[in-house]
Amino acid sequence: MTTRIDALFAELAKEGRSAFVTFLMAGDPDPATSLDILKALPKAGADIIEIGMPFTDPMADGPSIQAAGLRALKSGMTLRKTLEMVRGFREEDNTTPLVLMGYYNPIYIYGVDKFLADAKTAGVDGLIIVDLPPEEDDELCIPALKAGLNFIRLATPTTDDKRLPAVLANTSGFVYYVSITGITGAAAADSKVVGDAVARIKRHTKLPVCVGFGIRTPQAARAIAEKADGAVVGTALVDALRDSLDTQGQATAKTVAAVADVVASLAQGVRGAKQAAE
Amino acid sequence: MNQRLPNSFRTGPDERGHFGNFGGRFVAETLMPLILDLEKAYAAAKADPSFQAQMNGHLKDYVGRPSPLYFAERLTEHLGGAKIYLKREELNHTGSHKVNNVLGQIMVARRMGKKRIIAETGAGQHGVATATLCARFGLECVVYMGAVDVARQAPNVFRMEMLGAKVVPVQSGTRTLKDAMNEALRDWVTNVHNTFYCIGTVAGPHPYPMMVRDFQSVIGEETRKQMQEAEGRLPDSLVACIGGGSNAMGLFHPFLDDPSVEIFGVEAAGHGLTQLHAASIAGGRPGVLHGNRTYLLMDDDGQIQDAHSISAGLDYPGIGPEHSWLHETGRVTYLSATDDEALAAFMLLSRLEGIPPALESAHAIAKLTELAPKRPKDHLMVVNLSGRGDKDIPQITEILKGRKQ
Ligand SMILES: Cc1ncc(COP(=O)(O)O)c(C=O)c1O
């Protein structure tokens, strides 16, 4: 099976550059603005789009993404509406890979089989579920693979060589390397250390390795893109979105452009990266 | 859910941490290697006779165990039914059952060479117990506590600080126990290398529910022996309050395979089950939070709902996974008591026995007033008095003042 994610990485390999992966929360600050932002991302330079599924208790997220989730929930966002948003995006764009990222409980309550079917039809390509390690693969990972969705696993600095094969076993699409031990929005890792970690993971897999957590500037994005197949930015985008809101936390005329501008400058950073000799 | 009834209720969890359909290890990859390490370290400790001997020494001389099993004569007379015994966990050092578990986990942390201990706390009792043992063993201690709870359990906040712990008020989410647990998990993910997360109840990812249960089972084991000495037989029923369910599990577990023993857990019904409450079995459904599958309060989108209880220690939208399993197998009956019923029970026990219970434990006492009168005078009923009420006196004073006005 070839997904939009596989196709993208094949294409980028030909171009000889790394992917720029964006993260924003579905429904932040409201469903309509969120869809407008989503539609603006590919033009601004996003290669892969991660869409956060809001959850009340995001245990691996820092204050910025927690607040984004709460803004989304307050505006009435639900998992059903997140899938609607994906359908809205797919009406105009049938190539940019979309990955849903979040926590398991809303999916479990939606119903795993129904969720996978609806996500696939809506045009979702992959899933990143923070609280489903390989030990719980029967829950969603195996069914997702059967349904034709990529299940993208997180590898972390605590995932040692002994554990990596288990983490990679049912992973597809790409591997998401969390460059620090910590929550989203924390300090960045040193790009040399990240380079070593990526090399270590690549000894165990042929899958592309994208790196995230702590990347905020075009320079940092560029440094990571020189070491990895993709650089993921979330908190910096969520912060730009937040800073564009009015005092009530509502979207303003500037909101979509504010996010698109930051995406564009980060994308330039990624595109400016020299490819590491493979 | 139409699973076969097990031959024994005491063999769980399986090697993946499941109690029937509940439990498991739903955590971020960063934490997974730590949890596997902990599982190994705990198994080794359990198999090491010197560990048990050390534990027993500290339980006796530092905690003050065994805690008495006390015949509550006036309460029994007042209710006019079952003969009521109180298991006096409130007499432990630090004032609640929480210390039994903390001692065990701190001993495991020491074996693992961890120097920094973090904990979440609701009522502050688990925080106080953790701060106490960290002082005793010279370990750094950080306690996460919802900002709402910091305000309503002020005496315990002072106490933790006096013991040298750092108390971090948690402003995220609903600013109560569940958010304190989120924040503790965030700390743990960040400080994986030197930090041990000391969870305060039978929740969290495997092996915590099992490990905490094992450390708390001293309550039920002592009760068995003490009742044998007092009455020459087993009790007929057990009653305990449930936040996450650790004091209850500690009392219940040694009796699960004695079919003659009726077992009752009491959840917090807050303002009532049709309004804001914290009764996850009565008002929730199975879902996944904080590392395990269990009954949770949530909406139709799977978003966790705010719990409410007058008692900070019960103000949690979930329950330990083993309780969810004991509920579905029917072995334990889960009831609930409202804020007002708990307050009335607080006054009742204070006036009749001279023992002000913790507001948490008062929920168990509240159900006694329904259960005991319906049972014969030779029925032996044990209630877990999980903590003492001193910490609640400022809050109760405020409430009573408000009612007079
Ligand atoms: C005295 C007391 N009892 C009960 C509880 C509830 O916890 P658990 O259900 O784990 O025993 C607490 C929690 O803070 C407590 O302080």
Side-chain angles (χ1 to χ4, degrees):
Chain A
M1 141 195 111
T2 306
T3 65
R4 290 185 191 91
I5 297 175
D6 302 331
L8 175 88
F9 278 108
E11 176 61 32
L12 292 187
K14 270 189 249 155
E15 287 180 35
R17 69 173 181 92
S18 296
F20 177 41
V21 186
T22 60
F23 172 93
L24 283 151
M25 186 64 75
D28 178 20
D30 62 77
T33 309
S34 185
L35 178 58
D36 288 344
I37 294 172
L38 186 62
K39 287 178 175 171
L41 291 175
K43 246 181 275 115
D47 296 306
I48 298 177
I49 298 173
E50 293 177 5
I51 302 175
M53 298 176 280
F55 183 48
T56 38
D57 293 79
M59 283 145 337
D61 286 302
S64 287
I65 293 179
Q66 288 174 40
L70 293 181
R71 281 195 297 269
L73 290 172
K74 214 171 134 205
S75 80
M77 206 59 190
T78 61
L79 186 50
R80 199 162 281 109
K81 288 187 189 167
T82 299
L83 293 175
E84 253 168 52
M85 193 171 135
V86 169
R87 280 195 295 274
F89 176 85
R90 281 282 174 245
E91 283 168 12
E92 295 179 7
D93 183 324
N94 200 28
T95 52
T96 308
L98 290 183
V99 174
L100 295 185
M101 178 163 185
Y103 298 81
Y104 184 39
N105 197 54
I107 294 174
Y108 180 68
I109 296 307
Y110 192 101
V112 164
D113 293 335
K114 179 167 158 41
F115 169 77
L116 291 173
D118 291 356
K120 182 78 190 165
T121 330
V124 172
D125 301 291
L127 302 174
I128 303 177
I129 309 299
V130 177
D131 52 354
L132 286 177
E135 280 74 6
E136 303 291 350
D137 267 0
D138 299 341
E139 296 282 338
L140 183 66
C141 172
I142 306 291
L145 295 177
K146 281 195 189 131
L149 290 168
N150 285 134
F151 199 84
I152 295 145
R153 192 93 63 189
L154 304 173
T156 71
T158 58
T159 315
D160 61 17
D161 279 323
K162 218 172 99 226
R163 186 170 164 77
L164 256 177
V167 168
L168 296 169
N170 291 319
T171 303
S172 65
F174 61 93
V175 180
Y176 186 148
Y177 181 66
V178 176
S179 61
I180 51 155
T181 57
I183 53 180
T184 52
D190 179 78
S191 72
K192 164 80 173 69
V193 177
V194 170
D196 293 346
V198 170
R200 180 167 74 88
I201 294 171
K202 283 188 169 285
R203 284 199 291 277
H204 293 267
T205 182
K206 288 193 169 56
L207 287 172
V209 178
C210 297
V211 174
F213 279 45
I215 306 173
R216 305 190 66 100
T217 62
Q219 294 75 18
R222 176 179 173 157
I224 294 295
E226 288 182 352
K227 310 283 186 190
D229 303 301
V232 189
V233 179
T235 297
L237 306 184
V238 168
D239 285 350
L241 187 158
R242 178 202 59 207
D243 292 344
S244 76
L245 302 177
D246 68 16
T247 51
Q248 317 300 320
Q250 304 293 317
T252 62
K254 288 182 294 197
T255 297
V256 176
V259 177
D261 287 351
V262 180
V263 169
S265 70
L266 286 157
Q268 256 184 349
V270 171
R271 280 160 208 253
K274 289 186 285 291
Q275 269 304 296
E278 298 251 348
Chain B
M1 265 158 243
N2 43 23
Q3 50 200 338
R4 268 183 311 119
L5 277 195
N7 296 324
S8 167
F9 289 95
R10 303 189 62 214
T11 53
D14 68 15
E15 70 286 352
R16 296 171 61 199
H18 293 154
F19 302 93
N21 191 31
F22 301 101
R25 290 176 287 205
F26 296 87
V27 297
E29 170 60 23
T30 314
L31 294 181
M32 202 57 224
L34 281 79
I35 284 168
L36 295 173
D37 277 354
L38 173 62
E39 192 183 340
K40 252 189 261 153
Y42 175 57
K46 207 168 163 177
D48 177 355
S50 76
F51 178 81
Q52 205 53 54
Q54 267 186 333
M55 277 283 292
N56 290 340
H58 292 307
L59 282 172
K60 176 167 172 289
D61 299 329
Y62 191 74
V63 176
R65 302 203 71 91
S67 69
L69 184 68
Y70 163 73
F71 169 45
E73 194 175 354
R74 291 194 69 214
L75 182 63
T76 300
E77 235 169 67
H78 174 79
L79 296 176
K83 189 169 182 184
I84 297 164
Y85 281 86
L86 303 179
K87 180 61 173 163
R88 304 284 305 272
E89 290 298 304
E90 101 282 8
L91 291 177
N92 295 335
H93 181 42
T94 73
S96 81
H97 70 292
K98 296 284 181 189
V99 69
N100 305 326
N101 161 49
V102 173
L103 173 65
Q105 289 197 50
I106 295 295
M107 303 279 290
V108 173
R110 277 162 54 84
R111 283 176 74 102
M112 296 177 80
K114 303 281 184 182
K115 298 275 191 278
R116 180 175 180 270
I117 308 295
I118 58 170
E120 84 295 334
T121 197
Q125 289 304 104
H126 174 60
V128 164
T130 308
T132 299
L133 282 157
C134 286
R136 164 67 183 79
F137 288 106
L139 300 165
E140 183 187 346
C141 180
V142 178
V143 178
Y144 291 93
M145 188 168 186
V148 169
D149 296 336
V150 168
R152 63 177 160 174
Q153 301 279 295
N156 275 342
V157 177
F158 296 133
R159 199 161 156 197
M160 286 184 270
E161 287 173 344
M162 198 184 67
L163 289 160
K166 182 174 164 208
V167 179
V168 183
V170 175
Q171 301 290 355
S172 62
T174 55
R175 299 181 294 150
T176 58
L177 184 51
K178 96 175 158 72
D179 309 288
M181 195 150 185
N182 289 335
E183 215 53 41
L185 284 163
R186 290 178 187 127
D187 178 312
W188 201 23
V189 170
T190 308
N191 300 294
V192 289
H193 295 295
N194 64 348
T195 297
F196 185 97
Y197 182 14
C198 182
I199 296 185
T201 189
V202 285
H206 179 64
Y208 282 100
M210 168 184 78
M211 180 172 70
V212 176
R213 173 200 73 198
D214 292 352
F215 291 140
Q216 289 294 3
S217 290
V218 66
I219 302 171
E221 282 153 16
E222 283 177 8
T223 300
R224 255 186 118 86
K225 218 180 292 159
Q226 290 165 321
M227 189 58 95
Q228 200 67 38
E229 282 160 16
E231 300 277 355
R233 63 184 183 89
L234 290 178
D236 298 302
S237 59
L238 308 172
V239 186
C241 72
I242 298 201
S246 69
N247 86 87
M249 194 57 73
L251 176 64
F252 299 170
H253 196 259
F255 294 98
L256 290 176
D257 285 340
D258 297 294
S260 69
V261 182
E262 277 184 284
I263 307 182
F264 301 96
V266 184
E267 298 188 289
H271 297 317
L273 290 179
T274 54
Q275 301 174 49
L276 278 178
H277 64 83
S280 22
I281 288 201
R285 52 174 154 161
V288 174
L289 180 71
H290 293 156
N292 67 85
R293 178 168 19 237
T294 195
Y295 274 75
L296 296 167
L297 301 180
M298 64 178 110
D299 68 13
D300 290 339
D301 188 43
Q303 306 297 337
I304 307 305
Q305 281 172 328
D306 298 3
H308 165 78
S309 169
I310 189 172
S311 118
L314 306 185
D315 204 342
Y316 180 70
I319 183 169
E322 192 166 9
H323 283 292
S324 291
W325 177 71
L326 290 170
H327 163 67
E328 289 205 343
T329 55
R331 178 61 188 101
V332 175
T333 303
Y334 292 86
L335 310 168
S336 58
T338 63
D339 289 352
D340 286 346
E341 290 170 329
L343 265 177
F346 176 93
M347 300 310 286
L348 183 74
L349 197 68
S350 300
R351 299 285 166 88
L352 284 179
E353 298 287 350
I355 304 175
L359 273 177
E360 289 78 16
S361 326
H363 286 72
I365 307 290
K367 285 296 112 166
L368 270 193
T369 61
E370 287 170 21
L371 294 169
K374 292 192 201 121
R375 287 168 172 78
K377 289 192 169 12
D378 62 352
H379 179 104
L380 304 176
M381 185 173 276
V382 176
V383 191
N384 203 3
L385 199 60
S386 56
R388 58 173 168 246
D390 308 40
K391 70 183 174 61
D392 299 311
I393 288 169
Q395 188 194 358
I396 290 174
T397 310
E398 282 301 306
I399 292 170
L400 296 182
K401 250 197 279 178
R403 291 202 175 165
K404 279 205 194 100
Q405 278 162 8

